Structures are given as structure tokens and as C-alpha cells.
């Protein structure tokens, strides 16, 4: 508990190791968070990153889980192959992705040029495309793991229910929305809680892939905390950002757990 209490205490001080400053400022660090243009940019991208990533995780993860649940030859091998991206360290993936999205020699533009020879785009140079690239890499890395966990929930659905639905004339789409999705909804919700927490504290993908660029446009909140603490040595301000992030995560977690209790399936 000591590091948590110490972070909370330091957040009320203006601590700058470069200038040798250590003075009590009360809530000024917290006020500065919402007056700092760089921090506002970080908050904006963090919201876009978390929302975009989680929508992708739920849609693609559930779809992939249903696909992996279909009985076919080589099913176990396929599940193992799908998990390979998740097994790789994010730093390695982010560095490789930095090369992959390069306009001159990147594999992404190389593939697009098969269909559009004149295509040119520096993905990580422009704000919107850098956002898309970071979210896409995050999805490629973690959607397989999300899907495998959803797949575990699918395994507990009795086959008798599907057989009864088939006898009643229900098609695949009706079966999915009336049986499969309701029965795994609590599983999806609980997984979404933890994956959202992980997204909020993401650091390595931005550190290795964009270094917060272009400018400060892809600097996630966790990356901003690290920059303020270990680059600018402004530890008081960094501590206040960390406390705000902790409070946000606690509130979201509490609301999500409350919602999970309300799901009756």
C-alpha cells in the first residue's frame, strides 16, 4: 500500500527534480491536468483508443470465437495458430508495426499497392491514420486472446438448446442472437471490464510504435505519466495524473461489476 499512499501524497506537491523544487501546492496539479493542452490531447486519444479498441474486441472477438467453436478438421491446431499474436511481446509487435506502416518499405502499403499501384500514405505521420494504425495493431495483438476466453464460455452452452432451436425452425442468425449471445453476455461483459482496464493503462504500444507522435497526438495517458515522471522529472504532476486515472478505473470497474450482477444469464 505504501507506493499508492506515497503517489497520493506527492500529487499535492510541486516536485521537480531538475529544478530541485518540492513545495506543497494543494490541488493545483489536478487543476493543471484540465488546463494542459498536451494532457487534453492525451485524454482525447485515450478515449478514442479505448472505445475503438473495445468495440473491435467485442465484435471481432465474438465472431472469431464462434468460428473457432465450429467443429472442423485441425481445430486444435487452428486455435493454437490464432493465439500466436497474443503470445508475442507488445514491444516487439509495435516495433515491427512501425516498419510495417512505413510508406517506402512497409508491408501494409506494399499490399495495398497490389490493387492501387499509385497509393502513398505515411500512416504514422498523420494524426487520424496514426490513430487507426495503433488501434489496428492493438486489435491484432489481443483479439485472439479475447476470442479464446469467449470460446471457453461457448463450451458451456448445452448442445440440446441448439438442437431444440433447430427443430423449432430457428436459423443460424436467430440462434446466435437468441441463444448464443445472451448466454455468453455476462462472460463478454466481465472480459470487457478487464480488457478496458488494460487499454487504459496501455503504454508499450505507443512507446515503441509512435513515441506519442505525430506531435503529441498518440500519447496515451499512461505514456504521458511516464513522460512527465521520467523525462521531465515532474513527479508531482505525474502522480496527480496517475491518481485521476486510478479513480476513473475504479469507477468504471465498479459500474461494470454492478452491471454484471444485473445480467441474469
Amino acid at each position: 500500500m505504501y507506493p499508492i499512499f506515497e503517489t497520493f501524497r506527492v500529487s499535492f506537491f510541486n516536485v521537480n527534480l531538475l529544478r530541485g523544487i518540492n513545495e506543497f501546492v494543494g490541488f493545483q496539479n489536478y487543476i493543471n491536468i484540465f488546463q494542459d493542452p498536451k494532457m487534453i490531447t492525451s485524454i482525447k486519444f485515450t478515449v478514442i483508443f479505448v472505445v475503438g479498441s473495445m468495440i473491435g474486441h467485442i465484435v471481432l472477438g465474438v465472431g472469431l470465437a464462434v468460428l473457432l467453436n465450429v467443429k472442423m478438421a485441425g481445430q486444435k491446431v487452428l486455435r493454437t495458430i490464432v493465439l500466436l499474436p497474443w503470445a508475442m511481446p507488445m514491444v516487439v509487435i509495435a516495433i515491427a508495426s512501425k516498419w510495417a506502416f512505413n510508406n517506402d518499405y512497409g508491408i501494409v502499403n506494399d499490399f495495398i499497392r497490389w490493387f492501387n499501384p499509385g497509393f502513398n500514405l505515411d500512416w504514422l505521420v498523420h494524426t487520424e491514420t496514426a490513430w487507426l494504425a495503433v488501434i489496428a495493431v492493438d486489435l491484432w495483438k489481443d483479439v485472439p486472446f479475447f476470442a479464446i476466453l469467449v470460446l471457453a464460455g461457448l463450451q458451456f452452452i448445452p448442445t440440446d438448446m441448439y438442437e431444440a432451436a433447430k427443430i423449432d425452425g430457428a436459423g443460424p442468425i436467430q440462434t446466435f442472437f437468441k441463444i448464443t449471445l445472451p448466454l455468453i453476455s455476462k462472460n463478454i461483459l466481465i472480459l470487457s471490464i478487464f480488457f478496458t482496464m488494460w487499454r487504459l493503462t496501455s503504454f508499450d504500444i505507443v512507446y515503441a510504435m509512435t513515441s506519442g507522435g505525430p506531435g503529441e497526438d498518440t500519447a496515451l495517458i499512461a505514456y504521458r505519466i511516464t513522460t512527465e515522471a521520467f523525462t521531465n522529472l515532474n513527479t508531482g504532476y505525474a502522480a496527480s495524473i496517475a491518481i485521476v486515472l486510478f479513480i476513473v478505473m475504479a469507477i468504471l470497474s465498479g459500474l461494470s461489476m454492478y452491471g454484471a450482477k444485473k445480467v441474469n444469464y
Side-chain angles (χ1 to χ4, degrees), residues 49-173:
F49 175 74
V50 172
V51 173
S53 180
M54 287 315 304
I55 291 175
H57 272 78
I58 293 171
V59 174
L60 298 176
V62 173
L64 182 58
V66 172
L67 180 63
L68 293 175
N69 196 41
V70 176
K71 294 183 179 180
M72 65 181 78
Q75 188 181 58
K76 293 183 179 179
V77 176
L78 180 60
R79 291 177 182 176
T80 303
I81 293 173
V82 165
L83 267 179
L84 288 178
W86 172 76
M88 297 175 63
M90 177 56 88
V91 171
V92 175
I93 292 174
I95 293 174
S97 299
K98 184 177 182 179
W99 299 337
F101 282 99
N102 184 278
N103 181 54
D104 298 321
Y105 52 79
I107 190 174
V108 174
N109 282 3
D110 222 23
F111 176 75
I112 295 175
R113 287 178 187 131
W114 287 357
F115 309 95
N116 184 5
F119 182 82
N120 284 286
L121 178 62
D122 285 311
W123 290 84
L124 303 183
V125 172
H126 307 286
T127 300
E128 290 78 10
T129 53
W131 289 350
L132 289 174
V134 171
I135 293 173
V137 172
D138 180 69
L139 290 174
W140 183 83
K141 168 78 166 67
D142 275 347
V143 161
F145 184 51
F146 189 93
I148 291 296
L149 295 177
V150 173
L151 177 62
L154 291 174
Q155 302 295 309
F156 287 96
I157 300 178
T159 57
D160 295 347
M161 299 186 70
Y162 290 113
E163 292 173 358
K166 189 175 181 180
I167 293 172
D168 290 339
I173 297 178

Side-chain angles (χ1 to χ4, degrees), residues 117-236:
F119 182 82
N120 284 286
L121 178 62
D122 285 311
W123 290 84
L124 303 183
V125 172
H126 307 286
T127 300
E128 290 78 10
T129 53
W131 289 350
L132 289 174
V134 171
I135 293 173
V137 172
D138 180 69
L139 290 174
W140 183 83
K141 168 78 166 67
D142 275 347
V143 161
F145 184 51
F146 189 93
I148 291 296
L149 295 177
V150 173
L151 177 62
L154 291 174
Q155 302 295 309
F156 287 96
I157 300 178
T159 57
D160 295 347
M161 299 186 70
Y162 290 113
E163 292 173 358
K166 189 175 181 180
I167 293 172
D168 290 339
I173 297 178
Q174 287 180 305
T175 301
F176 175 76
F177 284 104
K178 297 295 184 178
I179 297 177
T180 305
L181 194 58
L183 290 178
I184 62 172
S185 57
K186 189 169 185 177
N187 189 22
I188 293 172
L189 181 57
I190 293 174
L191 287 175
S192 297
I193 295 171
F194 293 106
F195 274 77
T196 298
M197 300 300 107
W198 293 338
R199 302 281 85 71
L200 283 171
T201 57
S202 292
F203 161 79
D204 43 5
I205 183 172
V206 169
Y207 175 78
M209 187 174 174
T210 65
S211 298
E216 304 287 340
D217 291 340
T218 60
L220 293 167
I221 292 177
Y223 182 81
R224 173 66 54 208
I225 293 171
T226 307
T227 302
E228 291 293 340
F230 300 108
T231 301
N232 300 335
L233 298 182
N234 191 1
T235 54

